[in-house]
């Protein structure tokens, strides 16, 4: 979100100097601040969002050719891509011609993807007529049209390599946790919640576990996934996404498919070994260091650890449902 802020009054010599030499143009300026989850863990107050914001506001306040229009913030967001809510809000204002200057603390706060950062700086911003300033890197597109291009490219490359190195280390740490049977997801599977004593351990959520048991029982009796989904909706049982929204876990109300039970959702639930007490992870994988986009992994490449938590259904019922699913799949192939 942007916090609208006008240029604060500046006293003393700065004000007098500004009055003596009025700028030819005053830029409508946005301050952009970002801190990743990893930065939050390892940096002190000098790298905090508040300190970044304070530094940029102070810098803009003494620039006679800048007027602060808003502060745009992405806290806990990666710099390896530009799909960030604060950044997108700022770019919306740029496209509306409300902002024509962007100021960041340094290039790493702007982004750590060499290709994308370069595209914004060399193509998009010049096309939109946007001035870009990286304070600590002493870079200003208004003043450095040629001289600092090589330095800028090198810094962007270093930031990109740093992000890939961090990605590799994080991926290795996550893999260790997964192989130990620790739950590393942000949201627990439907039917479970995270243990208050250990966020990497699952405990049964009795409020929804009964629904999971009904689903497995109906499937074990031979009911199809579409029929099961219809029964759940007829009983006005909230879908997993709707349930999380009603509990305040998700802020945005689901719409369309997410608002009700769907056959594919029932199918995915009944395939998950988590309900038999086994931790199955690495179903999706993404690796910046390996250049791998988000990819759905085949079931044989999941990391499965047996007996990590209390099951909601017995192994017998779970296995029976898998057999029924496989039999129906084979019949459709005939």
């Amino acid at each position: 979100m942007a916090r609208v802020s006008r240029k604060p009054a500046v006293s003393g010599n700065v004000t007098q100097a500004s009055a003596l030499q009025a700028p030819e143009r005053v830029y409508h300026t946005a301050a952009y601040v970002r801190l990743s989850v990893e930065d939050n863990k390892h940096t002190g107050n000098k790298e905090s969002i508040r300190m970044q914001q304070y530094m940029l506001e102070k810098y803009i306040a003494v620039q006679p050719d800048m007027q602060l229009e808003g502060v745009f913030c992405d806290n806990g967001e990666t710099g390896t891509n530009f799909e960030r809510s604060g950044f997108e809000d700022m770019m919306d204002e740029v496209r509306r011609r409300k902002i024509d200057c962007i100021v960041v603390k340094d290039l790493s706060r702007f982004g750590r993807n060499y290709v994308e950062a370069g595209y914004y700086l060399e193509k998009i911003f010049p096309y939109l007529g946007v001035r870009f300033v990286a304070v600590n890197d002493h870079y200003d597109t208004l003043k450095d049209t040629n001289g600092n291009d090589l330095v800028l490219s090198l810094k962007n490359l270093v930031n990109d390599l740093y992000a890939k190195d961090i990605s590799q280390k994080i991926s290795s740490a996550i893999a260790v946790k997964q192989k130990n049977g620790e739950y590393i997801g942000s949201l627990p599977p439907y039917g479970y919640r995270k243990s208050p004593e250990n966020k990497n351990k699952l405990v049964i959520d009795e409020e929804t576990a009964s629904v999971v048991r009904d689903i497995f029982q109906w499937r074990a009796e031979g009911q199809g996934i579409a029929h099961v989904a219809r029964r759940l909706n007829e009983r006005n049982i909230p879908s997993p996404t709707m349930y999380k929204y009603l509990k305040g876990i998700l802020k945005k109300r689901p719409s369309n498919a997410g608002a009700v039970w769907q056959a594919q959702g029932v199918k995915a639930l009944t395939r998950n070994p988590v309900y038999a007490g086994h931790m199955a992870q690495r179903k999706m994988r993404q690796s910046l260091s390996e250049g791998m986009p988000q990819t759905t992994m085949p079931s044989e490449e999941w990391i499965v650890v047996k007996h990590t938590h209390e099951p909601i259904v017995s192994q017998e019922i779970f296995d029976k449902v898998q057999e029924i699913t496989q039999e129906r799949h084979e019949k459709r192939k005939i």
Side-chain angles (χ1 to χ4, degrees), residues 38-324:
E38 191 66 19
D39 290 330
N40 271 317
K41 292 178 182 176
H42 297 295
T43 58
N45 288 333
K46 70 176 184 178
E47 289 292 339
S48 72
I49 285 290
R50 287 187 179 181
M51 287 304 295
Q52 282 188 55
Q53 181 175 326
Y54 172 77
M55 172 194 166
L56 296 184
E57 288 180 339
K58 187 176 179 181
Y59 173 85
I60 294 168
V62 297
Q63 305 304 312
D65 60 348
M66 293 183 187
Q67 175 173 299
L68 182 62
E69 298 294 344
V71 177
F72 296 82
C73 170
D74 281 310
N75 196 2
E77 295 286 344
T78 179
T80 59
N81 63 60
F82 287 86
E83 296 175 1
R84 316 173 210 142
S85 59
F87 182 83
E88 290 174 350
D89 289 343
M90 179 178 68
M91 290 305 299
D92 286 342
E93 293 300 288
V94 168
R95 296 183 187 96
R96 294 188 187 104
R97 306 298 179 183
K98 303 286 187 180
I99 289 170
D100 54 13
C101 178
I102 295 171
V103 180
V104 298
K105 175 179 172 284
D106 55 46
L107 288 166
S108 69
R109 297 305 99 202
F110 177 63
R112 292 189 182 277
N113 183 300
Y114 173 65
V115 175
E116 284 195 72
Y119 189 69
Y120 271 97
L121 297 177
E122 296 174 17
K123 301 293 184 182
I124 296 178
F125 289 164
Y127 176 77
L128 295 174
V130 174
R131 176 184 176 186
F132 179 82
V133 178
V135 178
N136 283 1
D137 291 321
H138 307 290
Y139 182 78
D140 184 341
T141 54
L142 185 66
K143 302 171 184 177
D144 299 298
T145 54
N146 295 309
N148 275 348
D149 285 352
L150 178 58
V151 175
L152 183 71
S153 296
L154 288 173
K155 285 185 175 180
N156 274 333
L157 181 57
V158 168
N159 286 329
D160 191 35
L161 293 173
Y162 173 80
K164 289 179 178 178
D165 180 58
I166 291 294
S167 171
Q168 186 174 22
K169 290 176 180 176
I170 292 174
S171 296
S172 298
I174 287 174
V176 170
K177 285 181 175 290
Q178 289 174 331
K179 290 174 182 177
N180 288 337
E182 298 180 57
Y183 183 73
I184 54 95
S186 57
L187 297 177
Y190 181 78
Y192 284 98
R193 57 186 177 85
K194 291 184 180 182
S195 168
E197 292 78 29
N198 182 356
K199 66 179 182 179
N200 298 123
K201 185 175 179 59
L202 296 177
V203 294
I204 292 177
D205 175 13
E206 292 298 343
E207 189 173 352
T208 52
S210 59
V211 179
V212 174
R213 294 187 187 101
D214 285 342
I215 292 172
F216 272 91
Q217 185 60 43
W218 294 337
R219 286 290 286 144
E221 292 169 359
Q223 297 182 33
I225 54 176
H227 181 72
V228 171
R230 186 162 57 251
R231 285 189 70 172
L232 293 167
N233 289 324
E234 287 172 353
R235 293 188 177 191
N236 294 318
I237 296 173
S239 68
T241 307
M242 181 62 76
Y243 174 78
K244 290 182 174 68
Y245 168 75
L246 295 174
K247 288 295 181 180
I249 300 170
L250 297 178
K251 302 303 179 185
K252 185 177 180 181
R253 186 182 181 90
S255 58
N256 302 326
V260 295
W261 286 92
Q262 300 284 334
Q264 288 305 310
V266 171
K267 181 179 179 180
L269 186 149
T270 54
R271 285 190 63 209
N272 196 340
V274 73
Y275 297 109
H278 315 309
M279 193 68 74
Q281 299 183 101
R282 208 193 192 193
K283 298 176 182 179
M284 301 286 293
R285 187 162 178 252
Q286 181 177 17
S287 175
L288 176 66
S289 59
E290 298 175 21
M292 177 189 287
Q294 191 172 62
T295 305
T296 301
M297 305 299 289
S299 57
E300 57 267 21
E301 292 189 32
W302 293 357
I303 295 178
V304 180
V305 182
K306 300 284 188 177
H307 312 300
T308 55
H309 55 275
E310 185 180 355
I312 291 179
V313 299
S314 68
Q315 187 67 51
E316 290 74 19
I317 288 183
F318 183 83
D319 290 341
K320 185 175 182 179
V321 170
Q322 308 318 302
E323 290 173 8
I324 290 173

Side-chain angles (χ1 to χ4, degrees), residues 7-23:
K7 180 190 287 292
V10 182
S11 60
N13 294 333
V14 174
T15 305
Q16 294 173 5
S18 301
L20 290 173
Q21 188 175 1

